[in-house]
Amino acid sequence: MVLQWYQFGFPWLVTAVHSLGGIIGMRLLVYTGHFTPVYLDYSQKRLLWIFSALYTVNIAVSNVSLHYVSVPLHQVVRGTVPVFTVVISLVWKTAPEGYSWRVYVSLVPVVLGVGLSTYGDYYSFTIVGFLLTLLGTMLAATKTVVTNTILVGGYQLKLSALDLLYQLSPLAFMQTIGWAVLTGELFDAWEYVRLVQSDNNSSRMYALIVALVANGAIAFVLNISSFTASKNTSALAMTVAGNVKVVLAVVLGCIMFQVTLSPLSTLGVALTICGGAAYSAVKYTEAQRTKYKSLV
């Protein structure tokens, strides 16, 4: 909404604001005694540095790919993240028990629904753009699997959601600001601020500042919720939820900006939501069956 309503076309700086929100929020929790960070040795910190780099590169590849492909095609390819998550989980053996055929069937409407709900110009792209989008999708799946593994105790780490946010926020902030400088976005943002000031439009500037502060605060809460959910569920469940989030964002966007969904898009939204519900039902049933067998 910040990008849309205020023409604040600086995605790296918005991401930096999200990271800054995490930094300030976590420092407040430490200061008030509600959180005490765990001690990490050098090797553990190095693993988190590598993970933060994966996080930043994932954003960078996604941003760059949008210059070469249409938004609908970008969303369709990104909608296949659950498929890549399954492959990576099986190859890395983070899901050693594998997945049942019921899980695979439930993923079909989840992936297909995103494609239908964001239907549009699928043909405006270059080969480089398509490959970058595909790479970004693989990186997004990898990031989700690694996040889940770190939170449940893999890679010699077992961090809480708050610990992970506490450690990652400063790294993500430095890296996103660095990308903003390298891409020239920081200097463009400075010119944007000067332009707003030259128009003597102080109300717009104050509104933008309030919106960015609110954005950072919301991102802080959302990151805690996301990491907590990832710790208590699987990487695949997180990517399925991510696809459902995409179609709900489409619906919310249509409501806020008074855009009418086409019948095909409406079908896509329904498919994705039903697929997400089917996946949840399958996993719940399988968990109950496993629990029953363990008691017998």
Side-chain angles (χ1 to χ4, degrees):
M1 290 190 295
V2 173
L3 298 177
Q4 181 75 26
W5 286 348
Y6 299 99
Q7 289 82 48
F8 193 76
F10 312 107
W12 279 115
L13 292 180
V14 171
T15 307
V17 168
H18 294 170
S19 302
L20 184 60
I23 294 172
I24 296 173
M26 292 311 304
R27 292 308 183 277
L28 286 174
L29 290 179
V30 172
Y31 179 75
T32 56
H34 289 89
F35 169 69
T36 302
V38 298
Y39 171 78
L40 298 179
D41 59 30
Y42 175 76
S43 62
Q44 292 172 318
K45 288 182 178 179
R46 184 175 58 185
L47 286 172
L48 287 179
W49 294 339
I50 295 172
F51 174 68
S52 68
L54 172 64
Y55 169 85
T56 305
V57 170
N58 172 49
I59 298 174
V61 172
S62 179
N63 287 344
V64 171
S65 65
L66 279 169
H67 291 288
Y68 300 99
V69 300
S70 63
V71 173
L73 179 62
H74 187 268
Q75 291 292 352
V76 167
V77 177
R78 297 284 289 194
T80 62
V81 169
V83 177
F84 286 100
T85 302
V86 167
V87 174
I88 293 171
S89 297
L90 294 176
V91 171
W92 288 1
K93 299 182 180 179
T94 57
E97 71 283 358
Y99 303 100
S100 69
W101 65 268
R102 296 177 183 83
V103 170
Y104 291 120
V105 170
S106 69
L107 292 180
V108 173
V110 172
V111 175
L112 180 61
V114 171
L116 293 177
S117 63
T118 58
Y119 179 78
D121 180 14
Y122 294 152
Y123 309 104
S124 298
F125 70 95
T126 65
I127 295 300
V128 172
F130 178 78
L131 292 176
L132 283 173
T133 306
L134 198 61
L135 175 61
T137 304
M138 294 173 62
L139 289 172
T142 302
K143 177 177 70 71
T144 305
V145 173
V146 173
T147 300
N148 178 258
T149 305
I150 288 175
L151 289 169
V152 299
Y155 309 125
Q156 301 177 338
L157 292 166
K158 189 174 183 180
L159 301 179
S160 68
L162 293 180
D163 276 309
L164 186 56
L165 185 58
Y166 176 83
Q167 298 291 340
L168 284 183
S169 294
L171 298 173
F173 179 74
M174 290 186 293
Q175 291 169 5
T176 49
I177 288 295
W179 275 101
V181 172
L182 288 175
T183 59
E185 188 177 291
L186 187 62
F187 306 104
D188 292 339
W190 179 250
E191 288 299 319
Y192 170 87
V193 171
R194 290 182 58 186
L195 181 63
V196 173
Q197 289 178 334
S198 65
D199 291 339
N200 294 320
N201 196 343
S202 58
S203 60
R204 181 182 177 186
M205 178 59 68
Y206 292 143
L208 175 59
I209 292 173
V210 170
L212 288 173
V213 171
N215 217 254
I218 292 171
F220 170 63
V221 176
L222 181 60
N223 280 327
I224 292 177
S225 302
S226 178
F227 286 152
T228 301
S230 183
K231 185 177 180 67
N232 291 281
T233 187
S234 67
L236 181 57
M238 292 300 295
T239 58
V240 170
N243 274 23
V244 174
K245 181 189 72 174
V246 168
V247 299
L248 291 179
V250 169
V251 173
L252 182 60
C254 289
I255 294 173
M256 293 182 66
F257 299 107
Q258 299 181 344
V259 177
T260 303
L261 273 176
S262 68
L264 196 61
S265 295
T266 304
L267 174 62
V269 170
L271 274 176
T272 304
I273 293 175
C274 290
Y279 173 83
S280 299
V282 167
K283 295 301 291 183
Y284 176 77
T285 303
E286 292 180 349
Q288 291 299 108
R289 188 180 296 117
T290 301
K291 181 179 179 180
Y292 174 77
K293 287 181 179 179
S294 66
L295 296 175
V296 174

